[in-house]
Amino acid sequence: MSTIFWWTPGHCNIVGNEEADKAARNAVSNPNTLTLALMSPVDIFRNVDKYCIQLWDSDWRQVTDNKLREIKYSVEPWPKHNFSNRKEEIIINRLRIGHTRVTHDYLMKKTEPPLCRSCNLPNSVKHILTHCQIFSEARNECEIPDNLYEAIGPHADTQKIISFKKKIEMFNLI
């Protein structure tokens, strides 16, 4: 038994197919034909991502009572920093979200929130970095700006913050 393959052109000599081919060629060459720009899956995902980020950013900008908004004005990604080691990166990120051992250890211990021993105000990253009188000299020496955005925001000099944390002996308490 043998098998024979015959190649036959798809639309060859079939009247309906020949007419369809002719109509398609005419449509392509007609200047009044509407052309649709089709997007690749990559473009579709990129546009969906962009749309979702815009929605999220719109919601983010409307929230005013969020401590993160003081240092992150939008949901756009921040530039990457080159940290000298992983510990420094962790410290800066914890300061940015406002959760450190110094300020939030009471949650694990199930005790009252700590108060600053000098100012008698709640101990917070903002208080330590911008207001506390105990650390004002160290802040000045390390040239720490007096607002959170400049101190730990996307374009902050993170080495100054690391130096400050070491100077006030809180580097290992973050």
Side-chain angles (χ1 to χ4, degrees):
M1 181 167 163
S2 64
T3 304
I4 300 173
F5 291 97
W6 280 3
W7 176 79
T8 307
H11 290 187
C12 187
N13 298 324
I14 300 172
V15 177
N17 288 344
E18 293 290 338
E19 289 175 10
D21 284 345
K22 184 178 179 184
R25 282 191 295 276
N26 288 338
V28 168
S29 62
N30 186 337
N32 296 325
T33 299
L34 177 66
T35 57
L36 299 175
L38 298 178
M39 291 192 296
S40 70
V42 171
D43 290 334
I44 292 169
F45 285 122
R46 187 179 300 126
N47 286 329
V48 169
D49 283 349
K50 185 178 176 183
Y51 177 73
C52 290
I53 287 174
Q54 287 172 341
L55 283 178
W56 180 23
D57 195 57
S58 174
D59 288 347
W60 180 261
R61 290 173 189 272
Q62 291 176 16
V63 176
T64 56
D65 61 342
N66 182 338
K67 67 181 175 186
L68 295 176
R69 285 267 290 124
E70 287 188 63
I71 62 164
K72 189 145 174 64
Y73 299 150
S74 76
V75 299
E76 291 295 322
W78 278 357
K80 298 281 186 207
H81 284 282
N82 291 326
F83 293 98
S84 59
N85 61 52
R86 177 84 172 125
K87 183 173 177 87
E88 290 181 3
E89 182 178 9
I90 291 168
I91 288 170
I92 295 298
N93 286 329
R94 285 183 181 168
L95 290 171
R96 285 176 171 165
I97 63 171
H99 289 244
T100 67
R101 276 189 230 144
V102 172
T103 60
H104 285 74
D105 197 28
Y106 72 95
L107 294 171
M108 298 302 282
K109 293 178 180 176
K110 297 183 180 178
T111 61
E112 291 297 313
L115 297 177
C116 174
R117 64 180 185 235
S118 158
C119 312
N120 208 31
L121 293 171
N123 231 357
S124 69
V125 168
K126 182 178 182 176
H127 178 72
I128 294 167
L129 290 180
T130 63
H131 300 309
C132 185
Q133 294 304 310
I134 295 173
F135 306 120
S136 62
E137 186 178 323
R139 274 196 306 274
N140 289 336
E141 287 177 24
C142 295
E143 300 175 353
I144 304 299
D146 61 357
N147 69 69
L148 282 182
Y149 182 78
E150 290 179 26
I152 56 177
H155 305 291
D157 185 344
T158 56
Q159 285 309 306
K160 288 181 180 180
I161 293 294
I162 297 298
S163 297
F164 171 69
K165 293 313 244 177
K166 287 178 180 177
K167 185 175 281 298
I168 65 172
E169 298 178 354
M170 283 191 185
F171 184 76
N172 291 320
L173 298 177
I174 301 297

